[in-house]
Amino acid sequence: MSWLMVNGQSVVLNGEKSVLDVVRKAGIDLPTLCYHPELTIHGACRLCMVEIEGRGIVAACHTPPEAGMVISTNSAVLRRLRKMALELLLSRHDRECTSCSRSGHCSLQDLSYRFGITDLRFKQEHDKQLPIDRSSIILRDPNKCILCGECVRICGEIQGIGVYDFVHRGAKMVVDTAFGQHLAETDCVHCGQCAAICPTGALVIKPQINEAWAALNDPTKTVIIQIAPAVRVSIGEEFNLPPGQSTMGQLISALRSMGASKVFDTSFAADITVLEETKEFFQRVESGENMPQFTSCCPAWVKYAEQSYPEYLSHLSSCRSPQQMLGSLVKKHYAKELGKKPEELFMISIMPCTAKKFEASREEFTTSGVPDVDLVITTQELAHMIKEAGIDFASLPTTPPDQPFGFVTGAGVIFGVTGGVSEAVLRLGYELITEQELEDVVFSEVRGYSGLRSCELTIKDRTLRLAVVNGLANAKTLLEDLKSGKAQYDLVEVMACPGGCIGGAGQPITNVNRQVRHERGAGLYLDDKAGPVQKSQQNPAVLEVYQKWLKEPGSAEAHEALHTTYRERDARCKITQPLPGKV
Amino acid sequence: MNTVTEIVESTAVDPNFIASVLREMGTESAALIPILQAIQERYRYLPEEALVEISRALGLSMATVYGVATFYAQFSLEPKGKYVIKVCDGTACHVRGSLPVYDAIRRKVNLVDGRSTTEDKLYTVETVSCLGACGLAPVVTINDKVYGQMTAEAIRLIIDTLEQEGITDD
Ligand code: SF4
Ligand code: SF4
Ligand code: FES
C-alpha cells in the first residue's frame, strides 16, 4: 500500500490520477478554475498550486501523485501566489458583478471572496472592451473570459464540434470562434454546455425571463405551460432540496400562482412520441429502408446531423420532439376546444435544455403563422422567477397537472435520462412483437451513463441491435463506424448532453457534476416506478387524443401535427432549401 | 527598371493547388503547419476558403486551424499589398530613428486607423524585430529588396519612384 503526506496527514493512494485528486480526497478543497474531471487537463489558472518537498511549487491538477510525496497546500508563499494569480485574472476581467447573470454562481466571484480579495493592486485594463456576441441564444462576453479553456474543451472533446479555440498569442490571446464569426453563423448546436461549464459570466444563456413575465402579466394572453421531464428532478437544487427529488407538484403550484392558466406535462407528448416512433420503426424494419432509425427528440443532435451528416437525415425519425408535439397539439387542436385562436394562446415550455430555445424558433414549427411554442424558459430561469416572485418553493403544496395533457406514464418520464427513449420504445416494441403483455418493464440493457453503449436484444424471433449515445463526439464515432461498416444497428438514441436531458445546460449549475446528474436520473427512474402506468401505450389520455384528433399512430392527421422534415445546411450552417410546401 | 519583385495578386483559391499540397504533406494533424506554410507561400496570406478546406481534410475544427493561423506571426489572414514594406524596429534601428521612418511611410501611403494594408491593396506596412542588418540601421525592406540607412525623406523618394515605375509597369 503506498501513501503520501498532505499537510502532515498521511493519505493512501488509490489510483488517483493527479495530486489534485489526492489532496481533495484528503478533504482539502483546493481551488481550481481550469480543471474539470471529465475533460483533459489544461493547467493554465495555477490556482491549484501546491508545494512538494524537493520539487517546489507545482500545479496539482497536472502532477501525477507518487508514493512518499510530502505535500503542503497552505503555506504562506502558496497563499500569496494564489492570491496574486487571482488578482491577475481579475485585472483582465470586467467586474460588473451586480448586473452579471452568473452572479451568485460564479467561481471567480466565489474564489475572490474566499481569498479575501478586497482591493486590487493591478489596475484594470480598460482599453480592451471587446464586442459582446448576442447573435445566438448563448451570449459571449469576451471581457469576462479568464482563458480557462473549459468551453474550448467541452465543445471539442464532449460534443466533437470545437466551435472555439485560443486565437492570437501572448497578451492578445482570446478564446474565439474561427474568424471571429458570430456564434449564430458557426456550427454551434446550442447545447449550451460551454455556458454551463464556464466559471464566469463570459458565456451565459440569453435570459428571457422578462418575456415570460410579460406574457404572464398580459390579460389578453392565455398562458399555457409545459414542463419537461428532467426539470422536476433538478429545480429543487435551487431551493436547497437534494438532486433527484421530484417536485412536479410544487412546480405546478408555483406556475399557477405566477399566472399560468394551464400547466401540462411534456411527458404526455413523450408518450405520443413513443407510439409514433415505434410505429415508424417497425415500418422501416419491414421495408428495410432508412435503417438504422435515429431518435429525433434532441434539437442539438438534429442540427448536428443537418450540418455534419446530411447523408443520414433520412435515418432520423420524422417525429417532432415532445416539446414541439405538445406545442402543435395545443395550437392546432386544443385552441379550438378552448374557442381561441392560436395567437391568443401563449405557450411557454420549461426545459432543461438551451437548444430547445433554438428548436422553438425553427420555421417548421408554426400553426397559421404563429409559433407552436412561443417561449422556452430553462430550469434555471424558472428558479430565478420563483425567487423573484418570493415564493417559498420547498413548502408549496402539490398540484396535479391539467387535462387533457396531464396524465403521463413512467415511459414518458424517463425520456429525460439517457437510454430512456429506447426503453420506452422497447416497452411498446416488446408487446408488438410478442403480442403479449410485458410484465417486467425494466430494460437494464439500455440504462447507464456511459457515453456510447450498445446491446442486442432478442425478443421472440427478432433480434434488435440498439445503441444509446450521449455527447455528440460519441455520435460522431458511432456514425463513422456505421459508415465504415464496422458497426450495425437498428435503433440509435442520441442525446447531446452528458447523461441526457438531466444534464442539459438549462439545469442548475451543479449540472457539471456527474454525481448530481446520476441522482437526477435516479429520481426519474423512481418517478417511473411510482406512477400508476409505465407504458405509453396504456396512457388513457393519449388514447383519447388519438380518438379525438389523430385517429391512429402514423395517420395523415398524426403526420400533420406530429412529424417534421430535415434539411441539409451549407458551410455557414444555414438552411438553403425552402421548407417543403413553401416557396 | 523596377528592382522590386512584385507579389502575385491573389486570385481565387485553386482547389488543385490545395489538393496537391494535401497529397504531398498528408492529412495528419501534425501536417497542419507545413500545409499552412505552403499556402502562405503561394498566396502570401491564408485565404479563408483554403482554411475551410484544410480543416475538413485534417478533421480539425475551423477554430483550431484559425487558432494556429493567428498564433504565428509568419501567417497572415489578410491579403497583403502588392508592395510589402517592412520597417525594422529592432534595438539598433529603433535608436537610429526607425519610428519616424515608419510614420513617414504610413502617411505617405495614406494608412489610417491602425490598418496595415492600403484600401487599394497596393501597400502593406509592418514593423519587424531585427532583420539582422544592424550595420545599415535603420533598415527598410520592400518585398525582398533591402534599403539601408533610411530617413523619412529617403523613403518618401523611394516610394515615389516605386509608384511611377509601378504605374508604367501595369
Ligand atoms: S453551445 Fe454547445 S455546440 Fe455551441 S459552442 Fe457551446 S458547447 Fe459548442
Ligand atoms: S469563455 Fe468561460 S469557459 Fe471559455 S475560456 Fe473564457 S472563462 Fe473559460
Ligand atoms: S486547476 Fe490546475 S492549473 Fe487550473
Side-chain angles (χ1 to χ4, degrees), chain A residues 52-209:
Chain A
I52 301 177
E53 244 180 57
R55 281 224 209 162
I57 291 168
V58 299
C61 68
H62 64 69
T63 305
E66 282 166 27
M69 276 179 169
V70 178
I71 300 167
S72 74
T73 69
N74 218 15
S75 64
V77 57
L78 281 173
R79 287 178 44 236
R80 187 167 53 80
L81 288 176
R82 223 174 255 146
K83 216 164 156 168
M84 189 183 329
L86 260 178
E87 281 178 288
L88 285 166
L89 287 176
L90 287 166
S91 75
R92 287 188 53 145
H93 182 77
D94 173 353
R95 304 191 305 272
E96 289 291 337
C97 282
T98 47
S99 55
C100 178
S101 28
R102 193 74 186 204
S103 188
H105 295 296
C106 171
S107 308
L108 188 62
Q109 192 185 47
D110 288 351
L111 290 177
S112 305
Y113 175 73
R114 185 170 140 194
F115 290 94
I117 309 269
T118 47
D119 73 323
L120 289 161
R121 287 177 293 156
F122 310 116
K123 234 181 76 220
Q124 191 154 18
E125 288 172 34
H126 271 301
D127 53 329
K128 73 159 195 139
Q129 278 299 324
L130 300 166
I132 300 176
D133 180 2
R134 301 177 190 278
S135 66
S136 170
I137 55 145
I138 291 144
L139 294 187
R140 284 185 59 228
D141 183 349
N143 304 298
K144 292 184 177 164
C145 175
I146 57 167
L147 303 178
C148 69
E150 304 227 315
C151 56
V152 175
R153 284 172 288 143
I154 200 158
C155 189
E157 294 170 16
I158 305 290
Q159 300 302 35
I161 299 179
V163 170
Y164 317 109
D165 213 322
F166 292 99
V167 307
H168 302 295
R169 171 172 61 151
K172 292 207 180 100
M173 182 189 271
V174 288
V175 163
D176 205 350
T177 57
F179 306 104
Q181 282 166 337
H182 288 309
L183 212 44
E185 291 161 4
T186 65
D187 42 7
C188 167
V189 296
H190 314 101
C191 72
Q193 290 297 325
C194 53
I197 205 165
C198 178
T200 73
L203 288 169
V204 298
I205 307 305
K206 187 187 271 177
Q208 290 186 295
I209 290 177

Side-chain angles (χ1 to χ4, degrees), chain A residues 27-77:
Chain A
I28 288 158
D29 181 22
L30 264 192
T32 56
L33 275 176
C34 71
Y35 168 82
H36 192 277
E38 290 166 57
L39 302 176
T40 54
I41 306 288
H42 185 44
C45 76
R46 312 316 276 183
L47 288 183
C48 65
M49 283 178 286
V50 295
E51 222 174 325
I52 301 177
E53 244 180 57
R55 281 224 209 162
I57 291 168
V58 299
C61 68
H62 64 69
T63 305
E66 282 166 27
M69 276 179 169
V70 178
I71 300 167
S72 74
T73 69
N74 218 15
S75 64
V77 57

Side-chain angles (χ1 to χ4, degrees), chain A residues 244-302:
Chain A
Q245 180 166 329
S246 183
T247 54
M248 188 63 176
Q250 284 92 327
L251 264 170
I252 297 165
S253 306
L255 285 160
R256 282 273 177 67
S257 81
M258 286 154 67
S261 105
K262 301 275 178 213
V263 184
F264 298 134
D265 190 336
T266 312
S267 308
F268 172 89
D271 280 331
I272 293 193
T273 308
V274 172
L275 303 199
E276 293 294 328
E277 199 162 328
T278 312
K279 172 90 187 196
E280 190 182 16
F281 176 67
F282 283 109
Q283 275 167 353
R284 290 190 191 187
V285 169
E286 289 319 316
S287 73
E289 276 165 30
N290 296 323
M291 291 293 278
Q293 176 167 306
F294 285 83
T295 59
S296 57
C297 15
C298 170
W301 151 238
V302 168

Side-chain angles (χ1 to χ4, degrees), chain A residues 101-106 192 195-198 203-209 230-231 234-239 251 349-354 357 376-388 503-512 520:
Chain A
S101 28
R102 193 74 186 204
S103 188
H105 295 296
C106 171
I197 205 165
C198 178
L203 288 169
V204 298
I205 307 305
K206 187 187 271 177
Q208 290 186 295
I209 290 177
V231 178
S234 66
I235 196 164
E237 294 162 36
E238 288 282 339
F239 303 96
L251 264 170
S349 323
I350 317 295
M351 293 284 142
C353 172
T354 56
K357 289 185 187 253
V376 177
I377 289 293
T378 62
T379 312
Q380 265 185 65
E381 284 174 290
L382 180 63
H384 228 110
M385 292 173 73
I386 294 173
K387 290 177 189 170
E388 186 182 345
Q507 298 278 57
I509 262 358
T510 36
N511 192 37
V512 287
R520 291 175 188 161

Side-chain angles (χ1 to χ4, degrees), chain B residues 17-18 21-41 46 50-51 54 57-58 75:
Chain B
F17 173 70
I18 307 283
V21 170
L22 288 170
R23 252 196 318 278
E24 189 186 333
M25 316 270 181
T27 52
E28 292 295 308
S29 50
L32 178 59
I33 291 178
I35 291 172
L36 294 180
Q37 281 167 327
I39 294 169
Q40 170 89 28
E41 191 175 336
L46 300 174
L51 296 188
I54 302 301
L58 269 60
F75 297 129

